[in-house]
Amino acid sequence: DGRKVQTAPDGTRIETLPDGRSKQTNADGTVIERRADGTREVKYRNGTTKRCSASGEVVVSFQNGDTKTTSPEGTVVYFYAAADTTHTTDELNGIETFEFPNGQFERHFSSGEKEIRFPDGTVKLVRADGGTETTFADGQVVVEEPPE
């Protein structure tokens, strides 16, 4: 069928298929598959899978359902399955965002400031010095200065 199989002294087995795909099974149980399009997928014994595309995107899927996706530009998106929460880190501008299942959305800036948007329309700005400004859905604004 055109398959080529090699086995190294350490037990590593490499199977090459006629279409350019290969499958490497290491002695520790790790399996590395390479596809003709340049994608590489590593399957670890603990259930974690890491897929690296030819474009540079890396997706790690964990046994607990969490996923971590890293773009070639450096943006990291981590999805916490148990909490149904997404945490995005943008390496280019230093902004981290959090999206919660209740609709709450937060942006954390490298300056230490935070912007929190609540599902009811309330927006809370937290300054780096600890002071806050909260704008409620009805337009009322409450300003709290930082503790001394």
Side-chain angles (χ1 to χ4, degrees):
D1 65 3
R3 294 175 189 237
K4 181 180 175 185
V5 179
Q6 298 173 320
T7 304
D10 69 355
T12 299
R13 182 176 185 270
I14 301 174
E15 181 179 359
T16 306
L17 304 174
D19 63 4
R21 294 180 295 141
S22 71
K23 181 178 180 180
Q24 174 180 326
T25 305
N26 296 329
D28 67 0
T30 302
V31 177
I32 303 169
E33 294 183 17
R34 290 178 174 81
R35 300 192 182 105
D37 67 359
T39 300
R40 183 174 59 98
E41 186 170 278
V42 182
K43 296 177 183 178
Y44 300 94
R45 285 180 41 195
N46 67 0
T48 299
T49 302
K50 180 178 182 179
R51 189 182 73 243
C52 306
S53 72
S55 68
E57 180 180 75
V58 178
V59 178
V60 180
S61 300
F62 299 95
Q63 189 176 21
N64 65 359
D66 289 4
T67 58
K68 178 183 178 183
T69 305
T70 306
S71 76
E73 299 79 27
T75 299
V76 177
V77 178
Y78 196 104
F79 175 72
Y80 298 89
D84 193 22
T85 299
T86 302
H87 174 196
T88 303
T89 304
D90 187 333
E91 295 294 329
L92 295 177
N93 62 23
I95 297 176
E96 294 184 65
T97 59
F98 298 84
E99 299 173 62
F100 298 94
N102 67 353
Q104 181 174 320
F105 181 84
E106 297 184 12
R107 291 193 310 167
H108 296 202
F109 301 91
S110 57
S111 65
E113 294 181 332
K114 297 177 186 179
E115 175 187 72
I116 305 167
R117 295 185 176 272
F118 296 94
D120 68 358
T122 299
V123 177
K124 183 174 189 173
L125 303 174
V126 181
R127 298 189 312 255
D129 66 7
T132 64
E133 179 179 308
T134 306
T135 304
F136 294 93
D138 64 4
Q140 178 186 3
V141 177
V142 174
V143 176
E144 295 180 27
E145 293 304 323
E148 304 246 348

